[in-house]
Amino acid sequence: MSRVITVANQKGGVGKTDLAVNLSSQLAELGKRVLLIDFDPQANASWYLTKNSYKLSTADIMLNGIALDEIIVSSCVKGLDVAPSTMGLSAAQIHLSQDVNMQFKLKKKLEIISRNYDFIVIDTPPSLGPLTINAFTASDGIVVPVQTHFFPIRGLSDLLRIVEEIKEVINPDLRVYGIVLTMFDRRTSLAKEVKHVISERFGGMVFDTIIPVCVKLAEAPSHRKPICIYAPSNKIGKIYRELAEEFLTRLID
Ligand SMILES: Nc1ncnc2c1ncn2[C@@H]1O[C@H](COP(=O)(O)OP(=O)(O)OP(=O)(O)O)[C@@H](O)[C@H]1O
Ligand SMILES: [Mg+2]
């Protein structure tokens, strides 16, 4: 059985897709079988990891009764598959809001492929709408990237409250694997201050590994490659490797 991890934060542009893509890639490089499900209509992770040759997407599994294994394509990273997304997934949000069992839809779809992967990583849109709730319902745990700026920390408590509600009502086993500080610019006192505030408030929830601001990371999506392939010798690859290893130790705790 695979372990299902959702990368979520309702704030936009905090590094969710970057984390989902590079954590998945590193887990695959560590020899794990990984599936990344793009559950965002923006389809950024699909752009990042595929050659856009896919015909079916997560929109089809949510709207047209297609099975998950029918949409899966391989990526440029050995051991990493992708369930790609399209803009059409945004229609699923409306459809889902009219469906009584809406929050269980993705979870049901995962059953068929669960044995094929060690990890399933879900990239979510910047909202706490039906797609993200579906991902939470289907997950063992969540990882929350937080940009080390002021506004991103404001929504963190709201996000964790929703997770508590999902635990109480739908998925009692849902865990928060941790908060990952992203786009950390050590030259600014703001970044240090935000790091301090988050560490004080959320303590052990915060990963020791911090993702710094990195030009290569910003460049990688346009080359449609994760950092381990786009810039294998850059130190950011090593940092993502450390993050993946820390993530694996957190699963045991
Ligand atoms: N550590 C980093 N250093 C520099 N640029 C980064 C870093 N991480 C991500 N970026 C860039 O910042 C932008 C936002 O990152 P990303 O797309 O991962 O955020 P997101 O939370 O998934 O956004 P959305 O909410 O729109 O889905 C992208 O252009 C990405 O390439
Ligand atoms: Mg994204």
Side-chain angles (χ1 to χ4, degrees):
M1 294 290 275
S2 49
R3 195 168 301 238
V4 185
I5 305 118
T6 288
V7 179
N9 190 329
Q10 73 275 31
K11 177 92 179 73
V14 295
K16 289 182 287 298
T17 299
D18 202 85
L19 180 66
V21 165
N22 289 299
L23 177 63
S24 300
S25 305
Q26 292 294 342
L27 289 171
E29 293 233 316
L30 286 167
K32 311 291 182 193
R33 298 166 306 160
V34 188
L35 171 67
L36 191 153
I37 298 182
D38 191 347
F39 222 43
D40 180 358
Q42 296 181 93
N44 291 342
S46 309
W47 167 266
Y48 213 143
L49 284 174
T50 73
K51 290 292 173 220
N52 235 358
S53 55
Y54 53 90
K55 291 200 174 61
L56 295 170
S57 73
T58 42
D60 295 292
I61 66 161
M62 299 307 282
L63 289 166
N64 302 331
I66 301 284
L68 185 52
D69 58 346
E70 292 180 57
I71 73 163
I72 292 171
V73 293
S74 54
S75 78
C76 54
V77 182
K78 189 168 171 284
L80 173 61
D81 288 344
V82 183
S85 171
T86 54
M87 270 288 286
L89 185 61
S90 54
Q93 310 202 52
I94 302 157
H95 185 81
L96 283 169
S97 55
Q98 295 157 358
D99 189 337
V100 189
N101 278 323
M102 79 93 182
Q103 59 272 53
F104 296 101
K105 203 151 184 177
L106 179 64
K107 187 179 169 69
K108 288 215 182 76
K109 295 283 179 180
L110 292 187
E111 283 164 11
I112 189 171
I113 48 108
S114 187
R115 279 207 178 75
N116 304 351
Y117 297 99
D118 299 309
F119 293 100
I120 296 174
V121 178
I122 308 173
D123 187 26
T124 58
S127 90
L128 291 170
L131 293 171
T132 305
I133 301 297
N134 255 269
F136 286 169
T137 305
S139 292
D140 296 294
I142 70 166
V143 177
V144 185
V146 177
Q147 189 184 3
T148 39
H149 282 183
F150 175 65
F151 282 128
I153 57 172
R154 290 186 64 206
L156 205 46
S157 304
D158 293 334
L159 174 60
L160 296 175
R161 200 174 51 246
I162 297 271
V163 171
E164 281 308 311
E165 282 172 23
I166 301 270
K167 274 177 77 163
E168 274 171 34
V169 184
I170 308 173
N171 180 2
D173 300 325
L174 184 66
R175 285 177 56 187
V176 178
Y177 292 131
I179 295 166
V180 179
L181 300 180
T182 65
M183 302 186 212
F184 182 76
D185 187 347
R186 62 187 170 80
R187 294 164 304 181
T188 70
S189 51
L190 174 66
K192 285 180 203 143
E193 203 179 310
V194 169
K195 177 173 175 259
H196 179 70
V197 169
I198 293 181
S199 305
E200 289 257 292
R201 204 178 299 171
F202 300 100
M205 256 190 211
V206 186
F207 274 75
D208 293 332
T209 314
I210 294 174
I211 308 299
V213 164
C214 170
V215 176
K216 288 279 175 214
L217 266 187
E219 285 171 8
S222 66
H223 294 266
R224 309 188 75 167
K225 288 177 183 141
I227 203 72
C228 59
I229 293 186
Y230 174 61
S233 55
N234 191 285
K235 72 173 185 339
I236 195 72
K238 190 167 161 281
I239 294 172
Y240 262 111
R241 173 61 61 97
E242 285 166 9
L243 185 77
E245 285 166 351
E246 187 181 354
F247 169 74
L248 292 175
T249 63
R250 278 177 177 250
L251 296 182
I252 304 159
D253 296 344

